Amino acid sequence: MNAETIDGYLSEEAYPTAFHRQFTPPWIDAMLRLSGLKPPRRDDRAPFSLLDLGCGDGLALVGLAAAHPEGRFVGLDALPEHIKRATAAANYAGLKNVAFFCGRFAEIDDPIEPTFDYVTAQGVLAWISPTNREHVRRLCGLYLKPGGVACIGYNSMPGWSAGLAVQKLLCLFAEGKDGGSVQSFEAALEQVRAIAGAGAEGIDAKFIVWLDEIKPTMSARYFPHEYLNRHWQPLWSGEEHREMMRHGLVFASASRAEVLRPDLILNDLQCARLALIADPSARQTALDVIMNQTFRIDLFGKQLDPADRSGTEWRQGWWAATTPPDEADYRIISGEKTIDFSGRAARQVIDALADGPRRVLDFAPLTADEGETGLRDALDALCISGQILPCDAPIDPPFADIFNRLNVAAAKMGAPLPALVGRHGAMPVGQAAIVDADEGARHALDALSRLGVRLPA
Ligand SMILES: C[S@@+](CC[C@H](N)C(=O)[O-])C[C@H]1O[C@@H](n2cnc3c(N)ncnc32)[C@H](O)[C@@H]1O
């Protein structure tokens, strides 16, 4: 492999299209509210701006721009092919609220004044050189307005410790192989397998089994991006929190519901041990160790305000159900622990969202006799189990139809479907749902309407 790189980051093949709902403003705001903080957007559909660092092929950002005409979006990436695709998609949809720039983090100047409410960087920090990591942190610190939030997704320790030796060998072996990065990855993996097969104390055999399991489920282009970057380095969350602090950004919350509510996942003794750790970043690192986390999505605030003292801010949020009432599973099974949350509050949430997204305050007024804790636990448990997701107040986005038409047509030809745009935001919709809905399958149509998505005629 003689692949070109951007400061050590492989630039031969485009990264596969991906949509990550944890990086959307409704999700970020919900996690902040659940953590007792004020989100950057204080009112429904208030105008906002978002910068995505290392935006990949930008299709997710184009979807967000179509879903949020009240937002202004900027995507930055060093790969010309990514920016070409992103710009073509934005132009095709006729969107004027999204712009893409081709450039390296190191080349981006400091701003004259901070301009963004959100800065996101998914899958970037742990794959680039230490110098570029510092540039990403610099850009987050300087481009965010006070009251803004950075959402950063990165490979974390100690979950990745089982894969360290394999990644190192893959990276070294691929350098000597013929062909492009996908072929070089395959050849390098064969060589690693052979060494593991001969007996290698430093290789965790379970990791290779896991790799073989996920390979058929993902694009072949994903693997060189994940494993063949010279500077690939899973990070310790506590250390990353400290690095961000040097740029004026304070760890505010995890952006994954299960990390937000470890008490719903861990046993009582684990929770008690965690509660003894006063420093929030040290506590998060201990949580990573207990959960053996491989990935973190962290929110870092720039002078975020605390939520109102009434503690009811989280009730302002809108939610959508991914599950109909008759299929809801009111349990979380984690290790030896099973949480049963089949009480009235959880059923109330799922029933209320059966016909489409709603705001908590509207279906569960403050006087609800179930009480704050029951409802709050139910919401968190349903979010952890993926049966509800945060969304926005409804509007009719003018470019939803054209964006959806473009993506549905591509999906029917086998392209990945990043998201569809609905009245409540950009929603993750599986490719299968599109085909089923096309055939008029009731469950697929119901699923789309629960998310507030209308398929183009
Ligand atoms: C793993 S991909 C993630 C893409 C996207 N955020 C996603 O989650 O789908 C990392 C991205 O960072 C970009 N990148 C890497 N080094 C960069 C640099 N020095 N400056 C700008 N972009 C860079 C790559 O081109 C690539 O698109």
Side-chain angles (χ1 to χ4, degrees), residues 66-106:
H68 295 277
E70 76 282 14
R72 190 172 58 82
F73 299 82
V74 175
L76 172 79
D77 202 282
L79 224 82
E81 179 61 21
H82 283 165
I83 297 304
K84 215 165 88 191
R85 287 186 191 192
T87 307
N91 288 345
Y92 181 88
L95 291 162
K96 299 275 180 267
N97 61 337
V98 59
F100 292 96
F101 296 97
C102 191
R104 299 181 180 204
F105 302 133

Side-chain angles (χ1 to χ4, degrees), residues 6 9 15 18 20 54 56 77-79 82 103-105 122-123 128 132:
I6 307 156
Y9 185 94
Y15 189 70
H20 306 279
D77 202 282
L79 224 82
H82 283 165
R104 299 181 180 204
F105 302 133
Q122 153 61 355
I128 55 179
N132 277 324

